[in-house]
Amino acid sequence: MTTTYDRGAPASGKSDQGRRGSHAVRWWVLVVLGVAQLMVTLDATVVNIALPAAQHDLGFSDGSRQWVITGYALAFGSLLLLGGRLGDLFGRRTTFVIGLIGFAAASVAGGAAGSFEILVAARVAQGLFAALLAPAALSLLSVTFTHPSERAKAFGIFSALSGAGGAVGLLLGGMLTEWASWRWVMYVNVAFAAVALVGALLWLAKPAVTERPKLDIPGTIVVSAALFAIVYGFAHVESTSWTNPVTLGSMIVGLVLLAVFVWLESRVAHPLLPLRLVLDRTRGGSFLAVFVVGMGMFSIFLFLTYYLEAGIGYSPIKTGLAFLPMVGGIVAAATTAPSLLLPRVGPKIVVSASFLVSATGMALLTRLALDSGYVADIMPGMILLGLGLGGVMTTAFQGATAGVHHEDTGVASALINTSQQVGGSISTALLTTVASSAAADYLSSHKAGALTAAQAGVEGYTATLAWGAGFFVVGAVLAAFLIPNTPLAPSEGEPVIAH
C-alpha cells in the first residue's frame, strides 16, 4: 500500500505521523542523519591536521600535498547536484545507504594507503560518495520533519552539527594524529558510518516509487563539468596565480558551462535543477546565505588554525580545543534561534542580524598579535562567531528547503552543499592571495629577522579575517534585500510504503 499527496499541499502533522511512524522514531532518524552529517563535515578538516604526518610517512612533495584536499573537493563539489537528483529519482534511503557504505570503504582504503596515489584516489572516492550522502541526509531531514515546531528543532540540531563538524574535526584530527597515527583520521569514519548504517536500516522508511525515474543527462554532464572547472580553477590558484592560463581557462570554461546549464534547464521537460527552486526569493536568498557562510567559515578554520599553530605555537590538540567556544556558540544559536527568534522576528531579521554578529566576532579577531591571550583576545571573537553562524545556518537550511515538493528535496539539498563548497573554494583561493600579499607588504617595510617573519605571518592571517568580516557584512546586506520576512513554508513529506 502506498500513500500519495497533491503536489502543492504541505503535509499536516497528523499525516506526517502516519508516514514516518511514531514521534520517537522520527527523532531516532535525526540521530542517524546527524551522525552521517557530522562524519562528512568533520572530514573536511580532520585530514588537514594529519596531512604533514601523512606526507612524512608516504614521502610526497609539498607541491603534491594539495591534491589530498583538492581531489576530495573536486569530486564532492562537481557531483553534488547529480547525487541530490539521484536521491530524488531512486530513493533517498537507497542513496544514503550507498553513500555510507562507499564512504566507509574509501576511508579504509585511504587509511591503508601505501602510496600517495592510493591516498588521493581514496580521497576522490570519499568525495564521490559524500556527494551522494550529504544531500540525501539533508533531504531526508526535510521530508521527515514537516510539522513546523518539529522541523525547527530538527533543523537546529542538524545545523549545529554541520557548523560544529569542522571544529570537531580539528580536535579529533589532532588527537588521533598525536596519540595514534594519521591513518586513524581515515579509519575513524568507519565507526561513524557503522552507527549511521545500522540506524538507517532500522528506522529510515522505504520510499514508495510511483513514477519511472527520469534523469536530465545533458544537464548533468554540463553542470558537473562546470562545477569541476570552477573548483579546479580556484584550487589551482593556490599553487600558481590568478593570471595563470590554466586557472583563467578553467574559470572561464566553468562560467560558460554554467550559463549553458541555465539555458538547458529552462527548456528540458525533466530538469536536473528546476529553476523554480532558486527563483523563489526565500530559497534563492538562503542559498546565497549558505554561499557566504562557506566563504567566511573557510577563512575561520584555515587561517585561524595557522595563527594558533604557526603564530603562537599551539599544538594540534590545543588548537582543536581552542575552537570549542565557537562550537558552543553554534550549538546554542542553532538550537534556540528556530524556536525563539524565527517565529517572532522572521527569517530576514534572523539571517541579517546573525551575519552581523559573526562579522563582529571576526572583527575582534583581526586585532590578534603574537602576544595575544586566549581568554581576553581569542575566545570572545570565537563565541560571537559561533552564535552568528548558528543563527544563519539553521535559518538558511530551513529557508533553502521551504515549500519544496518531495520530488525536488534531494537537488535542493544538494544545492545547499554546492553553495557552501563553491563558496569555500573561492574564499580559500582569494584569501590565500590576501594573506601572502599582506605578509609580503609587512616584510618589505620592516627589518628582516625572526620576529619580523613571525609578525608578517600574523599580519597575513588577520588580513584574511578582516576580509571574512567583510563577507559577513555583505551577507547581511544581501539577506536584508533578498529574503522576505514571511514565515517559512513547510516542505511536503515523502510518500513511503506503509508498515
Side-chain angles (χ1 to χ4, degrees):
M1 177 179 178
T2 61
T3 307
T4 57
Y5 300 91
D6 292 337
R7 183 172 184 83
S12 68
K14 183 177 180 181
S15 60
D16 183 70
Q17 179 88 359
R19 274 193 311 278
R20 290 291 171 184
S22 70
H23 174 84
V25 168
R26 289 200 297 280
W27 292 104
W28 279 114
V29 169
L30 175 60
V31 172
V32 171
L33 302 179
V35 170
Q37 179 68 10
L38 182 61
M39 178 182 71
V40 172
T41 53
L42 69 82
D43 197 69
T45 54
V46 71
V47 174
N48 292 7
I49 295 293
L51 199 52
Q55 182 180 2
H56 180 267
D57 189 15
L58 299 180
F60 51 88
S61 66
D62 289 344
S64 300
R65 184 172 57 187
Q66 68 161 335
W67 286 105
V68 179
I69 306 300
T70 303
Y72 177 90
L74 287 173
F76 185 50
S78 61
L79 297 175
L80 270 167
L81 285 178
L82 173 59
R85 181 51 90 191
L86 289 176
D88 290 332
L89 297 179
F90 300 110
R92 281 167 280 279
R93 182 182 187 269
T94 300
T95 54
F96 183 79
V97 169
I98 292 173
L100 280 174
I101 295 172
F103 196 92
S107 298
V108 171
S115 68
F116 170 71
E117 291 77 15
I118 293 176
L119 179 60
V120 171
R123 289 287 289 164
V124 170
Q126 278 187 316
L128 187 155
F129 287 107
L132 288 177
L133 182 58
L138 185 53
S139 58
L140 281 165
L141 183 77
S142 184
V143 299
T144 300
F145 293 91
T146 57
H147 191 278
S149 61
E150 288 190 348
R151 184 177 177 84
K153 294 176 185 177
F155 268 84
I157 294 170
F158 190 85
S159 302
L161 290 172
S162 299
V168 173
L170 292 173
L171 177 58
L172 185 61
M175 293 170 62
L176 291 172
T177 302
E178 198 164 313
W179 294 344
S181 163
W182 69 268
R183 297 181 184 276
W184 278 98
V185 305
M186 306 290 281
Y187 291 144
V188 73
N189 291 325
V190 177
F192 287 99
V195 171
L197 180 60
V198 171
L201 297 177
L202 287 175
W203 294 307
L204 291 184
K206 295 180 180 179
V209 180
T210 56
E211 297 180 9
R212 183 178 179 83
K214 297 180 177 65
L215 184 63
D216 172 19
I217 301 296
T220 299
I221 294 172
V222 170
V223 76
S224 297
L227 292 172
F228 182 93
I230 289 172
V231 173
Y232 180 81
F234 282 106
H236 201 257
V237 171
E238 297 179 58
S239 58
T240 56
S241 68
W242 288 93
T243 57
N244 180 271
V246 175
T247 297
L248 288 175
S250 296
M251 293 180 184
I252 292 171
V253 168
L255 291 174
V256 170
L257 288 176
L258 273 185
V260 172
F261 174 68
V262 172
W263 179 82
L264 283 173
E265 298 307 275
S266 66
R267 284 161 174 78
V268 298
H270 302 282
L272 176 69
L273 176 62
L275 296 183
R276 63 179 178 274
L277 290 180
V278 293
L279 294 178
D280 175 87
R281 285 180 60 195
T282 296
R283 290 194 293 266
S286 297
F287 289 130
L288 195 56
V290 174
F291 175 83
V292 175
V293 165
M295 294 190 73
M297 282 189 70
F298 273 73
S299 64
I300 298 167
F301 287 125
L302 183 62
F303 294 101
L304 199 51
T305 298
Y306 286 162
Y307 166 77
L308 292 171
E309 292 192 1
I312 58 178
Y314 277 22
S315 68
I317 293 178
K318 193 174 181 180
T319 297
L321 290 171
F323 279 93
L324 289 184
M326 188 177 80
V327 173
I330 290 174
V331 172
T335 53
T336 57
S339 56
L340 296 181
L341 295 178
L342 195 56
R344 290 172 172 80
V345 301
K348 179 200 294 283
I349 304 300
V350 173
V351 174
S352 298
S354 296
F355 266 131
L356 292 177
V357 171
S358 289
T360 302
M362 195 82 88
L364 289 178
L365 293 173
T366 62
R367 304 179 303 168
L368 294 176
L370 288 173
D371 59 350
S372 293
Y374 180 76
V375 173
D377 302 314
I378 300 174
M379 190 167 68
M382 289 276 206
I383 294 173
L384 288 175
L385 276 169
L387 291 172
L389 289 172
V392 173
M393 291 176 67
T394 188
T395 308
F397 278 21
Q398 286 189 74
T401 56
V404 175
H405 183 258
H406 73 84
E407 291 179 355
D408 294 329
T409 54
V411 72
S413 301
L415 194 54
I416 294 173
N417 287 280
T418 303
S419 300
Q420 192 169 23
Q421 182 69 32
V422 174
S425 297
I426 292 173
S427 70
T428 300
L430 174 62
L431 296 179
T432 297
T433 303
V434 169
S436 298
S437 298
D441 290 344
Y442 185 86
L443 287 171
S444 65
S445 59
H446 292 76
K447 185 178 179 179
L451 185 62
T452 299
Q455 184 59 41
V458 173
E459 293 292 326
Y461 307 146
T462 54
T464 66
L465 296 172
W467 275 70
F471 293 155
F472 288 148
V473 170
V474 171
V477 173
L478 291 175
F481 277 100
L482 290 177
I483 300 177
N485 209 36
T486 54
L488 298 177
S491 291
E492 184 192 57
E494 179 184 32
V496 298
I497 298 174
H499 295 289

